[in-house]
Amino acid sequence: MTFPLPCLHSWFPINYSAMPIHSSSPLLSQMATASFSFVTIVVCFTSLSAFPLSGAAASPDPGFTLNLIHRDSPLSPLYNPNHTDFDRLRNAFNRSVSRVNVFKSKAVDINSFQNDLVPNGGEYFMKMSIGTPLVEVIVIADTGSDLTWVQCLPCDPCYRQKSPLFDPSRSSSYRHMLCGSRFCNALDASEQACAMDTNICEYHYSYGDKSYTNGNLATEKFTIGSTSSRPVHLSPIVFGCGTGNGGTFDELGSGIVGLGGGALSLVSQLSSIIKGKFSYCLVPLSEQSNVTSKIKFGTDSVISGPHVVSTPLVSKQPDTYYYVTLEAISVGNKRLPYTNGLLNGNVEEGNVIIDSGTTLTFLDSEFFTELERVLEETVKAERVSDPRGLFSVCFRSAGDLDLPVIAVHFTDADVKLQPLNTFVKADEDLLCFTMISSNQIGIFGNLAQMDFLVGYDLEKRTVSFKPTDCTKH
């Protein structure tokens, strides 16, 4: 069977295991626009407290939806038409490698509520308002961290920010968090301090790329715009009022919304409302000019119907990430066990993180050597080196190529990936495999999730996959 492939844009898809690709579509034209890096959405495993959601009293489990716009989508204000497909691919690859290093360092009826996310540098920005009266801020949506924070006055030092800084002294709903509170204690010992004269909880937070934020822990009202007649009010939300911030943050953003699995994350604080459920469906970049990807929380995020497969989430530290167990990968009819030599050939539980913020899929280097050999035997094309050195498995082809279906076997869930999930056009006649070797923990990246509905149920402790046309979801 011949499968047409999309080309990679440095985009952020949340990939959904595979949808059939129409063999009638030309390979190279489909490959002209694929994409890479996505925002990882992580929901809390536990909730320290239940926070009210204003206007939601009529529904015990209100749902809401976020629009996702990747930085390389033509809909993004950061879109650069002068970049080539490979420019975007290279940038997405570099972001993937950087993110792996971060993982290493951390071993009303609002069912139609929607908010735009605009990414930058592999991240997505969310527009929201904070305080009373409301002040609009643009924050990075980050599933790789937990603390939500914004730059606050007085600020020294602060990175350059286009929009005005939030001034807590002008907000009637701002409240300091005191030392010894359970939210203050939710910070690691190295991340918290106590102001001796005021007893205010101070935080010190750093990221894998050496960026940082320091300030006071507090509560505030957050308001997110809605496509319905009224906005969604989240109150009170624990956040960091950052008075000392620096690093690689873009001037378009005012801070970060933490969407990780830890106790301080925004999703964790809302867990009693959304019942620990969320899902996403990432649209291929070739479709982004007309339709956006979606992330849903609460009622509307439940995945059901035929062709749904589910695998258990494994509890490990740090609890920011989603761990699942990868048992094997099949290339056509050839099944390769994903075993670990250190475990005497047994499969390690929780050996892979599902991450929509990483473009590529990273696999154990010893296993990848065998996978590479099987691919070379299966694909009937000339094996060549990637001239830019990004990918280790590439094939030369001037036209359509018969590429194998690759199945990823998680515990209790076989996810069949089509070539659009596993190969990209890296040059006019060069197709490259989007899984690479790593000596760190395995990561199931967003390209492998494209055109899947991926749902997380943190009460049942499962993640589910359903092949889906995300342009229609």
Side-chain angles (χ1 to χ4, degrees):
M1 183 185 307
T2 299
F3 295 92
L5 302 175
C7 228
L8 284 168
H9 278 257
S10 158
W11 190 54
F12 113 104
I14 282 183
N15 306 311
Y16 304 83
S17 186
M19 288 262 321
I21 306 176
H22 301 297
S23 59
S24 59
S25 302
L27 171 67
L28 297 182
S29 62
Q30 287 287 336
M31 295 178 71
T33 51
S35 65
F36 275 179
S37 76
F38 262 68
V39 59
T40 307
I41 300 302
V42 182
V43 172
C44 63
F45 294 93
T46 61
S47 176
L48 288 178
S49 177
F51 293 100
L53 189 61
S54 301
S59 173
D61 179 18
F64 56 94
T65 301
L66 305 182
N67 288 328
L68 298 173
I69 304 173
H70 187 263
R71 61 165 296 165
D72 289 324
S73 165
L75 298 176
S76 168
L78 301 173
Y79 176 72
N80 187 341
N82 296 321
H83 282 175
T84 65
D85 292 342
F86 195 82
D87 289 335
R88 299 181 178 98
L89 175 62
R90 180 186 58 212
N91 292 336
F93 175 87
N94 291 334
R95 289 194 297 270
S96 287
V97 174
S98 297
R99 193 165 180 86
V100 170
N101 292 332
V102 172
F103 287 136
K104 177 183 177 182
S105 69
K106 292 191 175 185
V108 133
D109 178 8
I110 59 170
N111 289 308
S112 61
F113 154 55
Q114 294 183 284
N115 190 52
D116 289 338
L117 296 181
V118 182
N120 180 55
E123 296 126 347
Y124 289 76
F125 289 115
M126 176 189 298
K127 293 182 180 180
M128 60 197 314
S129 296
I130 181 174
T132 307
L134 298 176
V135 176
E136 184 175 271
V137 295
I138 301 178
V139 286
I140 299 169
D142 183 18
T143 55
S145 61
D146 296 317
L147 180 67
T148 293
W149 63 270
V150 300
Q151 293 203 112
C152 290
L153 291 173
C155 197
D156 183 24
C158 270
Y159 61 87
R160 182 179 177 183
Q161 175 180 316
K162 286 186 176 180
S163 58
L165 273 65
F166 176 66
D167 186 349
S169 68
R170 295 179 177 270
S171 173
S172 62
S173 50
Y174 178 89
R175 299 288 185 274
H176 286 299
M177 186 66 62
L178 298 181
C179 302
S181 65
R182 54 181 173 175
F183 295 103
C184 185
N185 291 338
L187 293 165
D188 291 341
S190 61
E191 297 173 346
Q192 63 170 284
C194 188
M196 300 302 295
D197 54 340
T198 62
N199 200 38
I200 293 173
C201 179
E202 298 176 345
Y203 75 90
H204 307 279
Y205 214 76
S206 60
Y207 300 87
D209 64 353
K210 309 304 181 184
S211 298
Y212 65 91
T213 175
N214 304 316
N216 299 324
L217 206 63
T219 64
E220 184 55 282
K221 181 174 71 175
F222 283 70
T223 302
I224 304 178
S226 173
T227 56
S228 63
S229 58
R230 48 184 170 172
V232 176
H233 303 291
L234 308 177
S235 176
I237 295 297
V238 178
F239 81 112
C241 200
T243 55
N245 319 291
T248 61
F249 303 112
D250 190 275
E251 64 181 18
L252 185 62
S254 305
I256 284 179
V257 167
L259 298 172
L264 278 171
S265 78
L266 180 64
V267 192
S268 193
Q269 294 185 49
L270 298 177
S271 64
S272 63
I273 296 172
I274 65 175
K275 306 302 181 185
K277 297 177 178 62
F278 74 97
S279 65
Y280 52 72
C281 202
L282 300 183
V283 176
L285 191 61
S286 58
E287 306 290 342
Q288 280 294 295
S289 59
N290 300 315
V291 63
T292 59
S293 301
K294 297 289 190 295
I295 297 174
K296 297 186 176 184
F297 297 87
T299 304
D300 293 342
S301 68
V302 176
I303 300 177
S304 60
H307 311 301
V308 177
V309 294
S310 301
T311 188
L313 285 167
V314 178
S315 297
K316 294 180 70 172
Q317 292 297 320
D319 59 5
T320 299
Y321 311 129
Y322 293 117
Y323 300 91
V324 294
T325 302
L326 175 61
E327 297 183 345
I329 292 180
S330 294
V331 180
N333 296 324
K334 179 69 172 179
R335 182 182 174 111
L336 306 174
Y338 194 75
T339 55
N340 189 322
L342 299 178
L343 298 176
N344 298 318
N346 296 319
V347 174
E348 177 187 2
E349 287 193 355
N351 55 12
V352 169
I353 295 170
I354 297 182
D355 181 32
S356 61
T358 302
T359 300
L360 306 177
T361 290
F362 291 78
L363 300 173
D364 174 76
S365 55
E366 183 176 339
F367 170 84
F368 188 82
T369 299
E370 179 65 10
L371 177 61
E372 186 177 15
R373 182 188 65 79
V374 173
L375 278 171
E376 187 170 2
E377 293 176 352
T378 304
V379 178
K380 305 305 179 183
E382 178 188 4
R383 169 80 183 274
V384 295
S385 298
D386 175 9
R388 296 173 179 85
L390 296 187
F391 300 101
S392 57
V393 180
C394 294
F395 299 94
R396 183 77 64 191
S397 175
D400 288 356
L401 192 60
D402 189 10
L403 295 170
V405 173
I406 294 176
V408 177
H409 305 286
F410 297 114
T411 300
D412 301 329
D414 296 333
V415 180
K416 292 184 179 180
L417 305 180
Q418 301 299 333
L420 71 83
N421 302 112
T422 53
F423 286 87
V424 296
K425 181 187 175 186
D427 216 329
E428 285 301 320
D429 59 349
L430 189 68
L431 300 180
C432 293
F433 189 52
T434 59
M435 298 182 183
I436 63 176
S437 65
S438 172
N439 292 323
Q440 313 306 328
I441 188 169
I443 298 176
F444 191 64
N446 59 55
L447 285 179
Q449 302 175 56
M450 211 185 292
D451 262 351
F452 279 85
L453 184 57
V454 180
Y456 297 78
D457 188 326
L458 301 180
E459 292 186 345
K460 293 183 178 179
R461 303 288 301 144
T462 61
V463 59
S464 302
F465 301 85
K466 181 180 182 179
T468 303
D469 182 350
C470 292
T471 65
K472 300 177 180 178
H473 178 69

